[in-house]
Each structure stands twice: as C-alpha cells, then as structure tokens.
Amino acid sequence: MTRGLTLTLLALLAVTLPAGAANITGQYVECRTCDVYTGPCFANAEMNLSGHQAVLGWKVDKGTVDHVKLDGLSVVAVVVASDTLGLKQTGTARAVLIVDKKADSLQRDALVRLAKEQGGDLLKNVVAVQTAAIDMDLCPCKENGCARLKAGSAKVETRCIDPVHDKKCGNEAPFYPPLVKNVTAKAAVATEHGYDGKGFNQTWKESERRGAYVGSFEIR
C-alpha cells in the first residue's frame, strides 16, 4: 500500500469514527412525553401536541473518550424541543446535561463530549451542565424492558410492554426510532417519567406512557 493511499484511509477513518471515542459500551435509557410504541392513528393524533420533552441516559460499562477512562460513569440529557421529537424540528432544541458527580473534571468534560456526539442536533444547544448523583441500571426481566434512572431532578422507571394490555388499536409497533445513534434498544412502558429541575420554563411528570426505550449503546 502506498503512503498516499494510507494517508487517505486514515483521513476517512477520522471522519467516520466519533472524535476521540474508543470502544465504548454501556446501557441506554430514553423516555419521551409521547408514545413511541403505538399505531399510526394514535401517533398522528399526538403529533405536535405532545412529545416535546425527553430524558436520555447513558451509563458507560467500559470505554474511553480522548483517552479518558469512563468505566461506571453516567451522563443524562434532558431535552425540550419545539416540535414532537422524532419529527423535523422547526426550531432549536434545548438541553440540560446532568453529569455523574463521581467523575473528575476530565471525566466530566469527556462525558459531555460523549453525550453531545451521540445526541447530535438535539444536544447542540446546552443551556446548563449540572452535577448530581446518577442511579441508572437495567433490571433483569423477561423482555429486557425494565430500567430505572434517577439523576438530580430527572427520573425514569420502565417496565416491559404487555402484548395484551398495552395494545390499544391492535397494530402497535415502535413508531419512532431511538433519538440517538449507536443504540440497540427495545420499546418499553415508562411507569414514571418526569423532570422538575431548572434550565427550562417547564416541568413534566407522566406515568404508564408507552414512550421509553431500554437497551445498550456501542461505539467502535
């Protein structure tokens, strides 16, 4: 292989791989104020009326960002958008980031970079970065849809979707995909989802909403 071709391949890798991230794996939880597991008729009825808010959480099992080790640390993004999340936005979304209080200064910066890279446009406008204890775990259950997340003023608890009792029109499916990249997740029911902290001029609290995703993320 010629030196010129080698340099070209290295340049392409620099473009396609997340900046500074190396072999990161972990848990992921997402919850919105609209149903993500639903039928088109229900989704159409909610569009631009609900689903403007979300809580997104990453817990690193193993990996680094810019050579900073993040094993066991978490970061959470609370998002408020102008339109239903998952649709084309007519305005800029705002986000509050909550960083694990166990992280040192280098780790905090790396966790913020990780969330921004994965969240893309939704996390371009961060209005505040907070530090708090974060309790985030996926709980063993039959359909792997059970999780809990508590980070400062943000809270999410989920359960598996019941194929009988959680169907309302008979043709439900994951209507909206997860909001971030590099995620493998299953739709779930949020038994609790809310945020009552600072950073926005609004708070919310919901229960028994088919609006969650639970799973994992992986960056190679």
Side-chain angles (χ1 to χ4, degrees):
M1 182 180 295
T2 66
R3 183 172 183 272
L5 181 55
T6 300
L7 291 174
T8 300
L9 289 173
L10 289 174
L12 287 172
L13 286 171
V15 171
T16 55
L17 291 178
N23 298 329
I24 299 180
T25 58
Q27 303 172 23
Y28 178 74
V29 174
E30 170 186 315
C31 193
R32 312 184 210 180
T33 53
C34 68
D35 286 358
V36 298
Y37 176 82
T38 187
C41 55
F42 281 83
N44 290 336
E46 287 189 327
M47 284 179 182
N48 293 322
L49 297 176
S50 60
H52 298 243
Q53 300 87 11
V55 173
L56 320 173
W58 298 262
K59 180 178 181 180
V60 179
D61 291 332
K62 188 175 181 61
T64 64
V65 170
D66 294 336
H67 308 291
V68 178
K69 189 174 181 180
L70 300 178
D71 296 15
L73 298 176
S74 303
V75 59
V76 171
V78 185
V79 178
V80 172
S82 57
D83 304 278
T84 298
L85 289 161
L87 301 179
K88 184 177 180 180
Q89 298 294 305
T90 60
T92 302
R94 294 172 293 144
V96 169
L97 294 183
I98 305 172
V99 182
D100 202 321
K101 75 172 187 178
K102 295 182 295 184
D104 62 29
S105 59
L106 289 177
Q107 290 171 324
R108 286 196 294 270
D109 291 343
L111 287 167
V112 169
R113 290 196 294 275
L114 172 64
K116 285 186 172 182
E117 168 65 28
Q118 298 307 297
D121 288 344
L122 288 179
L123 300 187
K124 279 186 175 180
N125 181 26
V126 175
V127 299
V129 177
Q130 304 170 358
T131 301
I134 299 179
D135 177 19
M136 176 175 164
D137 282 298
L138 274 58
C139 311
C141 59
K142 183 178 180 181
E143 301 297 333
N144 297 319
C146 304
R148 66 175 183 270
L149 166 60
K150 179 71 171 68
S153 299
K155 185 175 183 180
V156 174
E157 290 192 10
T158 72
R159 64 169 175 82
C160 299
I161 290 174
D162 186 311
V164 177
H165 296 100
D166 291 321
K167 282 184 173 288
K168 298 178 181 178
C169 62
N171 62 342
E172 283 88 349
F175 186 86
Y176 295 108
L179 289 169
V180 305
K181 55 187 178 180
N182 299 315
V183 167
T184 301
K186 296 186 66 171
V189 174
T191 56
E192 185 173 352
H193 170 215
Y195 177 75
D196 59 2
K198 298 179 180 180
F200 311 112
N201 60 353
Q202 56 184 281
T203 61
W204 60 93
K205 185 175 182 180
E206 294 193 321
S207 60
E208 294 301 316
R209 164 83 76 172
R210 303 175 300 174
Y213 276 108
V214 175
S216 62
F217 72 96
E218 181 176 10
I219 307 170
R220 295 293 184 186

